[in-house]
Amino acid sequence: MRNPLPRVAAIHDLSGFGRCSLTVVIPILSTMGFEVCPLPTAVLSAHTAIPGFQLFDLTPQLPGFIKHWRDLGLRFDGIYSGFLGSAQQAAMVSDFIDAFSGPDCLVVVDPVMADYGSLYASMPPEMVGEMRRLCAKAHVITPNITEAALMLERPVPDRLEAEEVKEWLLALTKLGPAQPVITSLPLVSRPGQSSVAAHNREDGRFWLAGRPYVPIQYHGTGDMFTSVLTGSLLQGDSLPVALDRSSQFVATAIRTTFGYSGLGHHEILLERAMTSLKTPLESSGYDLLT
Ligand code: PXL
């Protein structure tokens, strides 16, 4: 029987402070009308950009959790993985995808491991190869430009022309996924914009979406982006509409927060932006990347 409410397995950490991962994924996908089943990869006092964070790695617990879900006969309409507690977990997630995804299950892998040119504080270097392998199992991947560069063994670029972005996306499809997305693109033709681009191997088209850049970086925006993208694709939106919807949501959350003084990089006001998930998409739209 089909799940009456589409069900998504969310494989991410739970961070107590600093909006990211499950504290972002669950409210967004729930608001979009999905039942979210969290499979926690690690529990942290705060995310890894906050000095002094305490990380409890759940690698030893995952096999037991997964076995219980198998015994329960759970089926998922979507599987969405992000921050992993150890490099060994990548193979566990890969087996999870084999065990739980039927023909219609959407698999989204966000290879969360790095930003602004370097790996996050808890990430072992072998995570890069493990994430590259895991991406082969996904339909959609959403690396930022640093993660894309690491997986493709390229330097992190300061600027990219549109033709180069296409070549990067094609290189990512060679890792396996049919629909790679790259976020935080330093696109020469769109100065002053936060740009994301995607490719759909099935129809050969390339897409671009973005919103005017706001001069502040908030943590957790990558998780917000991929959560909305996942929900949007699961509700049947096309790839460019999903790209546009998720860019719009992140821009709304950033602009809502930026107007207040005294809020830190960890304090994006997610709840203030949540109602925008129910409002129509702005007409500013997306473009073909040509
Ligand atoms: O938003 C990505 C992310 C997720 N989870 C943890 C993190 C980060 C980024 O720093 O530290 C624990």
Side-chain angles (χ1 to χ4, degrees), residues 13 15 20-21 44 47-48 83 112 120 220 223:
D13 69 280
S15 285
C20 67
S21 315
L44 292 91
H47 68 51
T48 61
F83 180 100
V112 172
Y120 293 138
D223 299 327

Side-chain angles (χ1 to χ4, degrees), residues 113-142:
M113 56 186 165
D115 209 353
Y116 307 110
S118 36
L119 284 171
Y120 293 138
S122 67
M123 286 296 153
E126 59 270 25
M127 189 66 95
V128 176
E130 292 298 322
M131 280 295 193
R132 189 187 299 121
R133 255 191 295 284
L134 178 57
C135 284
K137 287 283 175 73
H139 303 114
V140 179
I141 62 170
T142 57

